[in-house]
Amino acid sequence: MNVGSYVGNGADNRSVTGVGFQPGYLITRPEATASNMNSAHKTASSGASTDLTMRFYASGNNDNEIQALQSGGFQVGSADKVNQSGKTFYWMAFK
């Protein structure tokens, strides 16, 4: 397991490195959020390289958020819920 943070830049296909391994499960959460509505998660079994992200509430899968689980990190899209410019996002990765 590893944890960290990154500051959003709004760019699509942005790789976040420094995890130290390819995550099997990843959770992201924006700063100063009291609700799980903005938290996102992705499992390797959902397709480590497919552009689908799950939520912690009843909804369909979302695209352009956590786009891929990569060797040493993960890739996010330009969606505000995972990469809003200037906002800090926290992540928790499990092997």
Side-chain angles (χ1 to χ4, degrees):
M1 178 189 158
N2 200 359
V3 297
S5 65
Y6 61 95
V7 177
N9 65 7
D12 197 15
N13 302 322
R14 176 188 179 183
S15 290
V16 177
T17 60
V19 174
F21 53 85
Q22 181 165 342
Y25 180 59
L26 178 79
I27 300 170
T28 63
R29 184 174 179 94
E31 68 178 333
T33 299
S35 168
N36 285 336
M37 299 291 279
N38 291 323
S39 297
H41 63 118
K42 183 174 188 66
T43 64
S45 63
S46 70
S49 62
T50 60
D51 187 2
L52 293 176
T53 304
M54 297 176 286
R55 297 267 168 219
F56 287 101
Y57 60 92
S59 78
N61 293 333
N62 300 296
D63 60 0
N64 204 34
E65 293 181 6
I66 302 171
Q67 297 184 165
L69 302 175
Q70 302 173 317
S71 176
F74 55 97
Q75 183 184 83
V76 294
S78 59
D80 282 351
K81 291 190 177 192
V82 296
N83 198 14
Q84 182 177 349
S85 186
K87 187 173 224 175
T88 299
F89 293 85
Y90 300 98
W91 55 264
M92 185 174 2
F94 299 87
K95 189 160 184 162

